Amino acid sequence: MNIIAIIIVFGVIVFVHEFGHFIFAKMNRIKVNEFSIGMGPSVASWTKKDTLYSVRALPIGGYCLMEGLGEESKSRNGYNNKSVLARLMVSFAGPLFNFVLAFLLSIIICHFYTIDPPVIDEIMEDSAAEAAGLEAGDEIVSLDGDRIYNYREITLYSMLNAPEKPVDITYRRDGKEYNVSLTRKKDAKSGNFYFGFISRGRVSKGIGEELYYSVLEVRFQIKAAVSSVKMLVTGHGSKDDLMGPVGIGKTMNTIMEEAKEQTKDESAWDQFLTVFLNVINFAVLLSANLGVMNLLPIPALDGGRILFVLIEAISGKKVPPDKEAIVNGIGVALLMLLMIFVFFNDLGNVLHG
């Protein structure tokens, strides 16, 4: 059952991405030669208004094959012959739909789980927070001037910054804002550095708050994904921070097994709901990350296509098709090499994990 759930999650996220491109292509009267649900051999197909619709054997996403995308086309309905705005919309639509999917799934999480405003529930004894005068009920507004909306942003900050670094904290108490500087304190037992305050989250107060925190959830996941990319680019990350389908599948399987173990003494419904919500929570992360990764200005990705269109918009001239093809070809080759590296890296982690 776990492998089926993993395949469905992968498939839905990739399918939604391609469906975004499809919808906006149709809106801009760009000819879609084929829109496929799934990959591999075709098991069913039909043609409607010059578009071949296919259902393929492997339920792992799909694709949207547009006329004039990555090639020259003389058709007025080819991607390459549409306006700058139309091409920008179509290229951005895939990541946009991933963010929308992450938002919709986040509503489920916020409804069944707690939300996590950055409000302190408890101050640990003999901690940096206690020494700085922070109290239960205080709301953390910003860290080093960076506005935060989720408590997990504090955890993200801890991951991205050296523990010895003093932190300028702005917090709100009784409607007034205060500033304090503190340095995280090392725990003698664990060896980890802590601020010394705890937040357990709380139940939402209604659909309005659930929608609001669903937006904030997507914002947090995008922020975390961008921060991860920065770490890799600046050399602060390791190869083990890269994860492909094998690693993601292993992580999802672990999450589901842990959820089952935690609820083994509960009813079948409660166990199913817990596993389901954990899968949905992970799908939010994956969908937001796929959206961010596809917006990177790398040839052959959506971000690469957006970059070429922006260059055209600024210069007033299209990038010559032959040069664009060369750059995209190099990009595809590098992405393939990266995928091979990530695959074997994942395989090594699985075998030695």
Side-chain angles (χ1 to χ4, degrees):
M1 288 297 292
N2 286 6
I3 188 64
I4 294 175
I6 292 168
I7 290 173
I8 290 174
V9 168
F10 272 115
V12 168
I13 291 173
V14 176
F15 169 75
V16 166
H17 179 96
E18 297 300 330
F19 188 66
H21 290 310
F22 173 79
I23 289 295
F24 275 77
K26 288 293 187 179
M27 285 172 55
N28 287 281
R29 296 184 179 180
I30 294 174
K31 182 184 177 184
V32 178
N33 292 327
E34 182 180 357
F35 181 73
S36 173
I37 300 174
M39 305 290 282
S42 176
V43 295
S45 63
W46 63 96
T47 300
K48 184 177 180 180
K49 293 183 179 179
D50 296 326
T51 297
L52 175 66
Y53 295 86
S54 303
V55 177
R56 297 184 177 271
L58 301 177
I60 48 174
Y63 56 85
C64 178
L65 185 60
M66 288 176 274
E67 176 79 15
L69 181 62
E71 60 181 6
E72 272 298 291
S73 172
K74 295 182 180 180
S75 171
R76 65 175 183 173
N77 292 324
Y79 172 90
N80 60 317
N81 294 321
K82 290 296 181 177
S83 68
V84 165
L85 180 59
R87 282 177 283 149
L88 283 176
M89 290 172 62
V90 172
S91 296
F92 184 69
L96 174 64
F97 268 49
N98 280 131
F99 298 143
V100 171
L101 175 63
F103 166 71
L104 295 175
L105 295 178
S106 294
I107 296 174
I108 299 173
I109 300 299
C110 290
H111 179 75
F112 286 98
Y113 276 170
T114 57
I115 57 175
D116 70 330
V119 177
I120 298 172
D121 288 325
E122 181 183 340
I123 299 292
M124 299 168 63
E125 291 184 6
D126 192 30
S127 66
E130 184 181 58
L134 291 166
E135 300 177 359
D138 290 345
E139 178 185 0
I140 307 299
V141 176
S142 67
L143 300 175
D144 287 339
D146 183 20
R147 182 73 167 91
I148 67 169
Y149 297 90
N150 299 80
Y151 184 78
R152 281 167 298 158
E153 291 184 74
I154 300 172
T155 304
L156 181 63
Y157 178 93
S158 297
M159 293 171 58
L160 299 176
N161 292 274
E164 304 84 7
K165 180 180 180 293
V167 186
D168 293 324
I169 297 178
T170 299
Y171 65 95
R172 186 179 292 119
R173 180 187 297 170
D174 299 327
K176 296 181 180 180
E177 291 189 0
Y178 303 88
N179 297 297
V180 68
S181 180
L182 62 80
T183 302
R184 284 166 283 169
K185 194 171 181 179
K186 186 176 182 179
D187 179 68
K189 292 182 179 179
S190 66
N192 296 323
F193 290 80
Y194 297 103
F195 284 102
F197 45 67
I198 299 170
S199 176
R200 299 181 180 87
R202 63 173 175 80
V203 176
S204 67
K205 296 178 180 178
I207 185 63
E209 200 167 56
E210 289 169 7
L211 293 174
Y212 175 67
Y213 273 92
S214 295
V215 172
L216 294 182
E217 177 65 27
V218 178
R219 173 188 174 274
F220 169 73
Q221 295 296 351
I222 292 173
K223 182 177 180 180
V226 171
S227 298
S228 298
V229 172
K230 286 182 179 178
M231 286 180 64
L232 291 171
V233 171
T234 57
H236 290 91
S238 70
K239 66 181 181 64
D240 292 332
D241 294 320
L242 288 170
M243 190 180 293
V246 174
I248 293 170
K250 179 179 180 292
T251 302
M252 279 191 64
N253 184 69
T254 301
I255 289 172
M256 286 186 279
E257 290 301 319
E258 288 178 351
K260 290 176 185 178
E261 180 63 26
Q262 292 169 3
T263 56
K264 62 182 179 181
D265 297 325
E266 298 181 15
S267 67
W269 168 250
D270 288 337
Q271 186 177 82
F272 167 78
L273 185 61
T274 301
V275 173
F276 174 74
L277 291 175
N278 273 273
V279 170
I280 293 296
N281 192 45
F282 195 70
V284 171
L285 182 152
L286 287 181
S287 192
N289 271 261
L290 181 62
V292 170
M293 294 303 172
N294 267 278
L295 285 175
L296 295 178
I298 298 174
L301 295 181
D302 295 327
R305 295 192 184 99
I306 291 171
L307 179 61
F308 280 122
V309 176
L310 290 177
I311 290 173
E312 177 187 338
I314 294 170
S315 66
K317 297 180 180 179
K318 280 189 177 183
V319 177
D322 55 336
K323 293 183 179 179
E324 183 176 347
I326 291 172
V327 173
N328 281 330
I330 294 172
V332 169
L334 292 175
L335 284 174
M336 290 299 294
L337 289 174
L338 178 62
M339 289 174 64
I340 292 170
F341 170 78
V342 170
F343 173 78
F344 283 103
N345 186 59
D346 279 351
L347 199 59
N349 291 334
V350 169
L351 294 175
H352 295 97

